[in-house]
Each structure stands twice: as structure tokens, then as C-alpha cells.
């Protein structure tokens, strides 16, 4: 182990953007008349809708005791970090704004015990690779389950109590 992360997984990141105030022209309150409809132009904003994007290939699965295992619970007091590059986010069409949920696609379970005190935290980082040292500064807690979380096969989605506002530039 050289201290770098070489395994990839799939993460769903949803970013809901708040675009600047749009300018719609013409500003007439009458859009359609008996003579036809006017063509409207949108300037100063991007017309888009929130949605889900998939980062990674989803081709790597964990074994009974191997990592990464985002919802694995074989080991107690388990901590994992994932690095999502800004270039991966922008390649999927994401722009700066709030991220409100995260999901992991579980192919199979490596144990049947629930995960106690599951917490998800996020941070901006300039790091381009991960080492064996966990990033601990600047983390924002976005999801906490103080009880026991039992994962299911398929997508396990965590709606954040507090959205993480991505700056559109940094890796997360």
C-alpha cells in the first residue's frame, strides 16, 4: 500500500443550482395574441433543472472484508473518504451550488448488521489524490443517523439535513 487510493466506485451527487436573476425579452406581458406567439429570449442565466449525475464507472465491488465499502459494516469504527474531482463534476454538467443528497449503489451486502451512527461529512479540498491520512479540517456534517442504518441492495440515497454548497472549483 503506497498510501494512495486506486479503487473507484460510483457516487450519485445532486446539485441544485440557484441561477442569477434572468432577463427575459421582450418584457411584454402579452406573449400570445390572435396573430401568433412571440419568441422569448433568456439572458443572464442558464435554463437548467436539478437532477442526478453518476460519478465513476460502478464496476468495482467490495468483498467480505475489503475496502472501499461505503456501506460496509464488517469493521467497527470504520471511516472512509472519497475524493470527487471538480473536473468529474463539471464533466457531468454541474455548476456551483448546493448538493442535497448522495447515494451509493450496493451490489451485495458483506454483513447483515446495521451501521451504527452513520455520518456523512463533506469539504472543499485542493487535494488531487487521497493518502492514508484522513482529511479532517473544514468538514461540514451533512447527514447523521444516530441509530442503526441497514443498507439495501440497489441505490441507498441519503438526503442531507444541511446541503453542502459546492464552490464549482474545488474538489470535494
Amino acid at each position: 500500500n503506497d498510501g494512495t487510493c486506486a479503487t473507484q466506485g460510483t457516487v450519485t451527487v445532486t446539485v441544485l443550482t440557484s441561477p442569477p436573476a434572468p432577463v427575459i425579452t421582450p418584457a411584454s406581458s402579452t406573449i400570445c395574441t390572435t396573430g401568433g406567439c412571440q419568441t422569448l429570449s433568456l439572458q443572464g442565466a442558464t435554463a437548467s433543472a436539478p437532477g442526478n449525475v453518476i460519478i465513476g464507472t460502478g464496476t468495482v465491488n467490495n468483498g467480505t472484508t475489503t475496502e472501499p465499502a461505503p456501506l460496509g459494516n464488517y469493521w467497527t469504527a470504520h471511516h472512509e473518504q472519497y475524493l470527487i474531482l471538480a473536473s468529474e463534476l463539471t464533466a457531468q454538467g454541474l455548476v456551483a451550488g448546493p448538493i442535497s443528497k448522495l447515494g451509493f449503489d450496493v451490489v451485495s451486502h458483506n454483513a447483515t448488521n446495521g451501521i451504527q451512527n452513520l455520518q456523512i461529512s463533506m469539504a472543499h479540498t485542493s487535494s488531487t489524490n487521497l493518502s492514508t491520512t484522513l482529511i479532517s479540517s473544514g468538514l461540514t456534517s451533512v447527514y447523521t443517523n444516530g441509530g442503526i442504518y441497514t443498507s439495501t441492495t440497489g441505490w441507498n440515497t441519503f438526503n442531507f439535513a444541511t446541503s453542502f454548497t459546492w464552490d464549482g472549483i474545488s474538489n470535494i
Side-chain angles (χ1 to χ4, degrees):
N1 183 350
D2 66 357
T4 60
C5 179
T7 304
Q8 295 181 349
T10 299
V11 175
T12 298
V13 177
T14 301
V15 175
L16 305 174
T17 60
S18 299
V23 176
I24 300 173
T25 54
S28 170
S29 60
T30 304
I31 297 173
C32 292
T33 64
T34 55
C37 293
Q38 297 184 50
T39 301
L40 300 177
S41 300
L42 174 65
Q43 296 176 336
T46 302
S48 63
N52 296 331
V53 298
I54 295 178
I55 305 295
T57 62
T59 57
V60 176
N61 299 309
N62 58 284
T64 303
T65 60
T66 58
E67 299 173 8
L71 298 177
N73 57 353
Y74 182 83
W75 305 105
T76 58
H78 187 79
H79 296 83
E80 288 197 18
Q81 286 192 342
Y82 298 89
L83 178 67
I84 302 171
L85 300 175
S87 60
E88 294 175 297
L89 297 171
T90 57
Q92 294 296 324
L94 287 125
V95 295
I99 298 173
S100 60
K101 63 184 175 179
L102 174 71
F104 295 99
D105 188 9
V106 174
V107 176
S108 63
H109 297 280
N110 63 2
T112 57
N113 301 326
I115 302 168
Q116 294 183 347
N117 302 317
L118 174 63
Q119 180 173 341
I120 299 172
S121 297
M122 298 177 72
H124 293 104
T125 182
S126 59
S127 296
T128 56
N129 59 44
L130 294 176
S131 69
T132 56
T133 303
L134 292 173
I135 296 171
S136 60
S137 63
L139 290 170
T140 299
S141 178
V142 294
Y143 177 88
T144 300
N145 180 335
I148 297 176
Y149 178 80
T150 303
S151 63
T152 59
T153 302
W155 283 102
N156 289 251
T157 302
F158 303 95
N159 294 308
F160 297 164
T162 303
S163 294
F164 176 80
T165 303
W166 179 49
D167 63 11
I169 300 168
S170 300
N171 300 324
I172 56 175

